[in-house]
């Protein structure tokens, strides 16, 4: 092993993480003894000190209306403190809203459901000197995720059931003690990571009569060790994505895993939901990055005793943990693959005359396996929306942009009501990136595409993190909106997009909804298919229960997705929102197999989240 590899990963700082090194004589690995302190986190333990209690993201970041014009507050994002006149007009045109007449904001919630307390359990927990809270705000913050339903409930009322106690464990050993006590006193545990779930996975079952404990993993956020030779790192499951990448970057590494929720979601949540990142083409999805996972269950700790790059020792128990969604236990530690930071990163974009051409290009790129780190295609509705989010003259305004429009529409013959754009991110060695760029743009031109510049590509990528804030603005003006996704074979991608849009349109017309938006983008490419993301929102006018109306329409859209050959989920998971379709997706035998695993690992149903189809009620009825 080189002297450089033997150098401490922390450059001598024993409070960060430790180096793994191999003995020259026998190849065995050792870890340098050191106390590893928690990682400084961008998200505080008291989440309400920084994040919205009834919306997405940071409290100082939001779309707001000032003097009739929409602007974005704060300075965390590139569009911060900028007025958005084009977006203002787009909002009026699409949703027919009166921006001078917002819904009166609701005051913070001060009354919370009465907790159910198991005194024996609570006494033993306190004897362990664990960090706990019975505070109503702490409990509420961990009793929901970020579905439309979750945020709507917070804006009009209160959940019938929230966690009765919050516990912040500090180590794997503490988690083991907590789970043992929960099993002893029949107390429910719901693991909590970043709270970004869009499947109601964090929602407490309303009919649960036992004490519910939210196990907030955020204080277990250490990078325990980094193995430079084998390019793996052992990391506690509570670490938030942006913290993980920041700390690894200091030492020249990255996981490359970057989901849309990267700022707030946790490593344990990624594993528990089988997450996917925007740059999976280079780095892989979470299952590709995962080497080892440790999960505490009521009957013991589930983990493998080997960490080879690939092993043939029967079924891979990592895949029992992956996608388990808090139903079997709590993930405490994860060993992930890491990569050296890429020396070159470039953005790009391609404009196509229509959506069909763009999809055909993406299919060819996937067929030739020359995908850049990220390639995403938005339809015409999203193309117009993206242009509207510019504070400066957009594609449709200004002298310079006017020339671009003339060239594209008159000389190239593109129709502004049909054209679409693909945004690109390239990462790797300089020569490899240049070769990949050349090839991708050549393929694009074969399907009528033309380069649209680096700036458009970078804007499209960065705006991904801002889009989630728009839904909160909609709530202020009688608009409800949500996203949903699927994966689908290539030969059904176009028909699925067309069918789902048609189904949503028909459902809106049947309900007398006149002002709505249904739009999609292709976000991932695989050898055998693509990933499609839909955005749907509407002006609900005088509907007394708009959330229910939205859920009815999305349910119809999901039926259409399945009928069109799409999957139940690509990376959002199942939770409670999609569990009604779970059996038809995995078969009755699949459900029985999953329930058998549940019965073995959690016979008393301590992890009673009710997600997937774990048979929680049936299990409880046996007791």
């Amino acid at each position: 092993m080189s002297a450089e590899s033997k150098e401490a990963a922390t450059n001598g700082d024993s409070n960060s993480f430790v180096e793994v090194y191999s003995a020259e004589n026998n190849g065995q690995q050792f870890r340098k003894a050191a106390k590893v302190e928690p990682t400084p986190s961008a998200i505080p333990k008291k989440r309400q000190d920084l994040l919205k209690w009834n919306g997405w993201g940071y409290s100082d970041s939001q779309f707001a209306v000032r003097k009739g014009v929409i602007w974005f507050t704060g300075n965390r994002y590139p569009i911060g403190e900028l007025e958005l006149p084009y977006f203002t007009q787009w909002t009026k045109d699409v949703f027919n809203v009166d921006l001078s007449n917002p819904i009166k904001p609701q005051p913070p919630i001060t009354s919370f459901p009465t907790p159910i307390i198991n005194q024996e359990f609570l006494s033993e927990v306190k004897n362990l000197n664990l960090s706990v809270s019975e505070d109503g705000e702490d409990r509420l913050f961990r009793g929901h995720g970020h579905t439309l339903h979750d945020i709507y409930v917070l804006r009009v009322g209160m959940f019938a059931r929230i966690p009765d106690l919050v516990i912040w464990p500090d180590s794997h050993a503490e988690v083991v003690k907590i789970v043992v006590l929960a099993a002893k006193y029949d107390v429910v545990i719901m693991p909590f990571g970043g709270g970004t779930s869009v499947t109601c996975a964090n929602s407490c079952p309303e009919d649960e009569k036992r004490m519910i404990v939210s196990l907030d993993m955020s204080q277990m956020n250490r990078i325990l060790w980094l193995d430079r030779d084998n390019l793996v790192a052992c990391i506690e499951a509570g670490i938030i994505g942006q913290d993980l990448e920041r700390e690894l970057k200091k030492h020249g590494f990255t996981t490359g895993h970057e989901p849309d929720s990267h700022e707030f979601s946790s490593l344990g949540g990624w594993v528990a939901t089988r997450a996917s990142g925007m740059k999976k083409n280079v780095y892989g999805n979470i299952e590709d990055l995962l080497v080892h996972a440790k999960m505490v269950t009521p009957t013991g700790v589930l983990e493998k005793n080997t960490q080879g790059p690939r092993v043939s020792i029967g079924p891979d128990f990592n895949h029992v943990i992956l996608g388990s969604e808090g139903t079997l236990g709590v993930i405490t530690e994860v060993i992930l693959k890491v990569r050296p930071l890429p020396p070159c990163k470039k953005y790009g974009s391609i404009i196509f005359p229509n959506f069909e051409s763009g999809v055909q290009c993406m299919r060819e790129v996937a067929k030739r396996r020359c995908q850049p780190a990220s390639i995403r295609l938005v339809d015409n509705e999203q193309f117009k929306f993206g242009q509207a989010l510019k504070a400066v003259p957009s594609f449709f305004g200004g002298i310079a942009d006017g020339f671009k429009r003339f060239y594209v529409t008159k000389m190239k013959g593109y129709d502004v009501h049909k054209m679409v754009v693909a945004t690109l991110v390239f990462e790797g060695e300089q020569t490899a990136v240049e070769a990949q760029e050349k090839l991708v743009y050549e393929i694009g031109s074969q399907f009528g595409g033309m380069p649209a510049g680096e700036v458009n590509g970078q804007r499209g990528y960065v705006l991904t993190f801002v889009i989630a804030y728009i839904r909160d603005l909609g709530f202020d003006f009688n608009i409800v909106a949500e996203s949903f996704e699927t994966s689908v074979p290539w030969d059904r991608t176009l028909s699925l997009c067309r069918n789902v849009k048609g189904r949503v349109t028909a459902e809106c017309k049947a309900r007398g909804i006149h002002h709505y938006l249904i739009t999609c983008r292709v976000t991932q490419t695989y050898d055998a298919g693509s990933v499609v993301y839909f955005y749907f929102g509407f002006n609900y006018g005088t509907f007394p229960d708009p959330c229910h109306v939205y859920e009815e329409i999305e349910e119809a859209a999901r039926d259409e997705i399945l009928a069109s050959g799409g999957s139940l989920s690509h990376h959002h998971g199942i939770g409670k929102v999609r569990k009604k379709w779970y059996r038809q997706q995995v078969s009755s035998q699949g459900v029985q197999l999953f329930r058998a695993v549940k019965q073995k690992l959690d016979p008393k149903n301590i992890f009673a989240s009710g997600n997937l189809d774990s048979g929680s009620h049936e299990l409880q009825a046996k007791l």
Side-chain angles (χ1 to χ4, degrees):
M1 178 177 282
S2 67
E4 181 181 357
S5 296
K6 289 184 178 180
E7 184 179 335
T10 62
N11 295 321
D13 179 4
S14 63
N15 290 326
S16 184
F17 48 88
V18 292
E19 172 202 20
V20 172
Y21 62 98
S22 298
E24 300 288 353
N25 57 348
N26 59 14
Q28 290 182 337
Q29 290 191 336
F30 299 89
R31 294 183 183 89
K32 184 179 295 183
K35 181 181 179 181
V36 183
E37 297 294 338
T39 301
S41 181
I43 308 301
K45 184 176 180 180
K46 286 280 186 180
R47 300 172 67 86
Q48 55 269 40
D49 291 344
L50 184 67
L51 306 183
K52 294 187 187 75
W53 68 273
N54 63 348
W56 176 264
Y58 300 106
S59 298
D60 60 5
S61 302
Q62 62 181 330
F63 288 93
V65 178
R66 178 174 59 187
K67 297 181 180 180
V69 178
I70 298 173
W71 65 301
F72 195 85
T73 67
N75 56 13
R76 297 179 185 274
Y77 302 95
I79 66 171
E81 299 301 320
L82 295 178
E83 290 192 340
L84 304 167
Y86 302 104
F87 181 50
T88 301
Q89 190 60 50
W90 180 88
T91 302
K92 293 177 180 178
D93 293 342
V94 174
F95 292 108
N96 190 38
V97 298
D98 179 2
L99 295 177
S100 66
N101 188 30
I103 296 174
K104 184 179 179 181
Q106 68 280 27
I109 294 173
T110 57
S111 179
F112 307 94
T114 302
I116 298 172
I117 300 297
N118 183 312
Q119 290 295 344
E120 292 177 304
F121 173 83
L122 183 59
S123 295
E124 289 219 39
V125 164
K126 288 184 175 179
N127 287 338
L128 294 174
N129 293 318
L130 300 173
S131 180
V132 304
S133 175
E134 300 174 65
D135 177 75
E137 284 189 356
D138 287 337
R139 294 163 51 216
L140 177 61
F141 249 82
R142 292 152 185 84
H144 64 85
H146 280 275
T147 63
L148 172 66
H149 176 267
D150 292 329
I151 305 305
Y152 183 76
V153 168
L154 287 173
R155 286 174 172 261
V156 301
M158 176 46 112
F159 300 102
R161 194 81 164 84
I162 63 174
D164 305 304
L165 182 73
V166 180
I167 303 179
W168 289 271
D170 190 55
S171 66
H172 169 79
E174 286 189 357
V175 172
V176 171
K177 292 176 183 178
I178 294 166
V179 173
V180 167
L181 288 177
K184 177 180 178 181
Y185 293 109
D186 198 20
V187 168
V188 172
I189 291 180
M190 295 188 65
F192 184 87
T196 60
S197 167
V198 289
T199 63
C200 288
N202 293 116
S203 301
C204 297
E206 293 184 10
D207 57 353
E208 180 57 70
K209 305 303 181 185
R210 297 174 291 175
M211 181 182 183
I212 299 177
V213 170
S214 176
L215 203 61
D216 187 323
M217 300 295 290
S218 62
Q219 303 311 292
M220 287 182 60
N221 67 351
R222 303 165 184 85
I223 301 177
L224 298 176
W225 49 261
L226 170 67
D227 185 338
R228 292 175 178 271
D229 281 347
N230 295 311
L231 292 178
V232 291
C234 183
I235 309 153
E236 290 181 317
I239 197 167
I240 299 298
Q242 62 171 308
D243 296 335
L244 173 58
E245 287 302 308
R246 182 193 66 242
E247 295 302 308
L248 287 176
K249 185 177 181 180
K250 292 177 182 177
H251 307 286
F253 292 94
T254 179
T255 66
H257 187 72
E258 199 166 294
D260 290 1
S261 60
H262 175 254
E263 296 171 284
F264 310 108
S265 57
S266 70
L267 171 57
W270 300 343
V271 175
T273 58
R274 295 182 65 91
S276 177
M278 291 184 280
K279 298 187 292 187
K280 73 89 188 168
N281 292 335
V282 169
Y283 301 99
N285 289 317
I286 195 64
E287 65 270 22
D288 305 308
L289 292 167
L290 182 67
V291 175
H292 180 263
K294 184 182 292 187
M295 184 171 73
V296 180
T297 81
T299 56
V301 177
L302 179 62
E303 61 176 329
K304 296 187 300 183
N305 291 321
T306 181
Q307 296 171 23
R310 185 181 186 275
V311 293
S312 179
I313 50 173
D316 187 348
F317 296 130
N318 278 348
H319 287 274
V320 173
I321 298 172
L322 282 157
S324 55
E325 297 193 24
T327 60
L328 303 176
V330 55
I331 301 162
T332 57
E333 293 177 13
V334 177
I335 298 178
L336 280 187
K337 300 174 188 176
V338 296
R339 298 294 303 169
L341 286 169
C344 178
K345 181 173 185 176
K346 292 189 70 175
Y347 295 92
S349 59
I350 305 174
I351 292 179
F352 294 94
N354 52 57
F355 190 65
E356 291 78 7
S357 298
V359 171
Q360 289 170 357
C361 173
M362 294 184 79
R363 175 62 186 116
E364 184 65 21
V365 167
K367 186 183 296 184
R368 296 174 68 170
R369 290 189 171 179
C370 60
Q371 297 104 313
S374 174
I375 177 170
R376 296 184 294 175
L377 176 76
V378 301
D379 67 6
N380 182 254
E381 290 82 3
Q382 268 188 68
F383 170 72
K384 293 177 181 177
F385 164 74
Q387 294 297 314
L389 275 175
K390 289 185 177 180
V392 296
S394 70
F395 185 90
F396 303 101
I399 297 176
D401 286 332
F403 174 76
K404 293 176 187 176
R405 181 183 183 187
F406 175 80
Y407 177 77
V408 172
T409 60
K410 301 302 182 184
M411 299 183 69
K412 296 289 289 184
Y414 287 19
D415 183 342
V416 295
H417 301 297
K418 293 182 180 179
M419 58 194 294
V420 301
V421 65
T423 56
L424 312 167
V425 181
F426 301 91
E427 287 190 3
E429 297 292 336
Q430 180 79 30
T431 54
V433 165
E434 290 173 354
Q436 191 176 46
E437 272 188 302
K438 184 175 183 293
L439 180 55
V440 169
Y441 284 122
E442 284 178 356
I443 294 173
S445 67
Q446 294 172 19
F447 295 93
M450 60 176 289
E454 248 184 288
V455 173
N456 283 325
Q458 188 169 15
R459 283 190 74 259
Y461 194 75
V462 172
L463 283 176
T464 298
F465 300 108
V466 178
I467 290 175
Y469 287 90
I470 294 177
R471 186 177 67 183
D472 295 336
L473 174 68
F475 274 122
D476 294 337
F477 296 97
N478 285 7
I479 299 169
V480 291
E482 183 72 284
S483 64
F484 50 96
E485 46 77 34
T486 186
S487 57
V488 58
W490 279 114
D491 64 345
R492 298 187 180 187
T493 296
L494 286 171
S495 60
L496 181 141
C497 293
R498 183 171 55 249
N499 293 347
V500 173
K501 286 184 176 182
R503 180 66 179 272
V504 170
T505 297
E507 296 290 335
C508 286
K509 289 182 177 179
R511 291 167 174 79
I513 298 172
H514 304 292
H515 303 287
Y516 62 91
L517 176 72
I518 175 64
T519 177
C520 71
R521 57 177 173 166
V522 180
T523 62
Q524 304 274 27
T525 64
Y526 292 90
D527 288 353
S530 68
V531 176
V532 181
Y533 225 104
F534 291 93
Y535 292 91
F536 169 51
F538 62 90
N539 186 330
Y540 60 81
T542 58
F543 281 127
D545 189 355
C547 184
H548 179 67
V549 174
Y550 176 90
E551 289 169 346
E552 286 183 333
I553 297 175
E554 186 185 317
E555 186 171 314
R558 182 60 59 182
D559 284 334
E560 192 67 43
I561 285 173
L562 297 178
S564 298
S567 67
L568 185 54
S569 174
H570 170 257
H571 61 272
H572 280 171
I574 306 302
K576 302 173 184 66
V577 170
R578 299 182 184 91
K579 65 185 297 182
K580 63 168 286 187
W581 293 283
Y582 183 66
R583 181 180 294 268
Q584 76 179 70
Q585 290 287 287
V586 303
S587 77
S588 295
Q589 284 294 98
V591 171
Q592 291 175 30
L593 180 60
F594 177 65
R595 289 186 178 184
V597 173
K598 169 76 171 175
Q599 179 66 39
K600 174 61 180 177
L601 297 179
D602 184 19
K604 295 180 67 176
N605 195 27
I606 299 304
F607 289 88
S609 63
N611 298 330
L612 297 167
D613 191 350
S614 54
S616 57
H617 294 294
E618 291 91 333
L619 285 168
Q620 189 62 23
K622 293 178 180 179
L623 301 179

